[in-house]
Amino acid sequence: MACRVEAEVKGSVLLLRMSGELDHHEVGPIRKELADLMESDSIRHIILNLAKLEFMDSSGLGLILGRYKYLQKIGGNMVLCAATPTVKRLFEMSGMYKILMVEISEERALSRLEAVQ
Amino acid sequence: MKNKLTCNFSSISENEGLARMIAASFIAQYDPTLGELSDIKTVVSEAVTNAIIHGYNEEGFHEVCMRLSIDNRILTIEIEDQGKGINEVDQAMQPLYTSRPDMERSGMGFTIMEHFMDKVEVHSSQSRGTVVKMVKQLSAVKANCM
Ligand SMILES: Nc1ncnc2c1ncn2[C@@H]1O[C@H](COP(=O)(O)OP(=O)(O)O)[C@@H](O)[C@H]1O
Ligand SMILES: [Mg+2]
């Protein structure tokens, strides 16, 4: 199953809602799409809504870690919200769960970002 | 009860999802828990992706072989490639180790396989290829209430 990414730009925040299956086959095109979006729209923060992501493996972790490192370089933040238990487990295993901001909803993620700015 | 299924497929990334689906369908008939099903899909995805990316450098004209077998609810999965092989298996299996940081790999593939399966064995020789063998005991089927 393909991975769909719904992107919404709110100021300097890029809100990404991912659904379907995020694997190596899918990360290539998505990485390119995100790079284009982030450059053109002067994005500084990302909110990742993974509520509808049904499958992810370490290729997905690599993609997300890559965007996280980029945001760190430009002084931005990444907030993870609504990941399913299976997806959350992978973040925990990789140690990323501890370094990312985690919130239960998009609204909370947005206010968290406003608070740190 | 014993059962097995073997398939060979082209080393193209489209087949990562297909391999996950085949493995999930194979074990579905043994009433796995949802957690077990998701673990199996993940480890198959990891090993097949490794064969395609690392074993074959993403050249799509090779073949990956997946062997699934079950005996007494012990599931064995073998993923084999005839690719470039692994120089130092111990190093490769370290959490966060990747030989391809340029591809934004996370280096978590083997760690995930070891976490989700009871046993992971890697047999590899340079320019001959790699076999990853993983074993997992499926939990006993809970009796339904009459
Ligand atoms: N089938 C394979 N053939 C050759 N090298 C492999 C294979 N599988 C894994 N490797 C090596 O082991 C390393 C670690 O694998 P893994 O833990 O899945 O991390 P990643 O795929 O993110 O690099 C890879 O970077 C690669 O060097
Ligand atoms: Mg891998």
Side-chain angles (χ1 to χ4, degrees):
Chain A
M1 196 208 285
C3 182
R4 280 176 312 279
V5 183
E6 197 186 305
E8 196 179 319
V9 178
K10 293 187 173 182
S12 63
V13 178
L14 177 61
L15 178 57
L16 297 172
R17 300 185 188 98
M18 295 186 158
S19 57
E21 306 196 343
L22 183 57
D23 63 4
H24 161 245
H25 180 65
E26 299 289 330
V27 294
I30 293 175
R31 178 176 289 124
K32 212 192 149 296
E33 200 180 307
L34 291 188
D36 292 347
L37 260 173
M38 289 169 76
E39 276 163 30
S40 61
D41 284 307
S42 57
I43 297 300
R44 284 194 57 223
H45 309 286
I46 290 180
I47 297 176
L48 264 184
N49 184 342
L50 303 184
K52 298 212 171 107
L53 193 62
E54 285 155 39
F55 176 86
M56 187 178 93
D57 62 16
S58 73
S59 302
L61 282 177
L63 172 80
I64 294 168
L65 193 60
R67 289 331 95 214
Y68 172 79
K69 286 181 178 161
Y70 169 81
L71 292 178
Q72 268 210 316
K73 253 191 291 181
I74 61 169
N77 292 293
M78 182 181 276
V79 192
L80 178 66
C81 72
T84 61
T86 38
V87 169
K88 185 180 154 196
R89 202 156 50 130
L90 292 190
F91 279 101
E92 284 171 339
M93 221 179 271
S94 66
M96 280 170 72
Y97 205 70
K98 273 185 266 172
I99 57 173
L100 297 179
M101 293 180 180
V102 180
E103 288 294 343
I104 55 167
S105 66
E106 290 178 7
E107 294 70 32
R108 277 174 167 257
L110 270 171
S111 40
R112 175 90 171 260
L113 284 175
E114 277 159 19
V116 295
Q117 270 178 55
Chain B
M1 185 169 137
K2 288 187 193 182
N3 193 7
K4 63 179 184 177
L5 176 94
T6 298
C7 55
N8 289 295
F9 48 89
S10 301
S11 53
I12 55 175
S13 62
E14 284 84 346
N15 285 337
E16 293 156 4
L18 183 66
R20 291 198 293 275
M21 236 154 52
I22 292 171
S25 309
F26 178 77
I27 66 154
Q29 48 192 331
Y30 302 100
D31 289 318
T33 64
L34 285 179
E36 286 166 344
L37 208 53
S38 133
D39 290 354
I40 286 113
K41 279 184 359 192
T42 311
V43 300
V44 165
S45 200
E46 294 299 345
V48 169
T49 300
N50 279 353
I52 292 174
I53 297 183
H54 304 298
Y56 294 132
N57 283 318
E58 297 193 282
E59 297 164 346
F61 50 84
H62 304 281
E63 267 187 28
V64 180
C65 178
M66 174 167 72
R67 286 185 288 273
L68 306 167
S69 63
I70 193 157
D71 184 0
N72 259 319
R73 302 190 66 75
I74 298 175
L75 172 71
T76 304
I77 303 172
E78 285 183 286
I79 308 291
E80 178 171 358
D81 67 68
Q82 272 90 48
K84 70 166 179 263
I86 305 176
N87 255 337
E88 287 193 53
V89 172
D90 285 347
Q91 172 183 253
M93 292 181 81
Q94 292 297 312
L96 303 174
Y97 172 81
T98 181
S99 56
R100 299 299 305 269
D102 57 308
M103 286 184 73
E104 284 192 346
R105 303 297 307 161
S106 63
M108 287 299 292
F110 277 126
T111 308
I112 289 170
M113 291 183 242
E114 289 193 299
H115 239 87
F116 288 0
M117 300 297 280
D118 300 331
K119 196 165 84 183
V120 178
E121 279 173 23
V122 179
H123 304 280
S124 190
S125 60
Q126 252 192 87
S127 61
R128 289 265 182 79
T130 303
V131 183
V132 177
K133 180 178 174 184
M134 304 179 273
V135 180
K136 187 179 180 78
Q137 168 84 63
L138 301 183
S139 58
V141 180
K142 287 208 186 78
N144 280 324
C145 293
M146 303 283 247

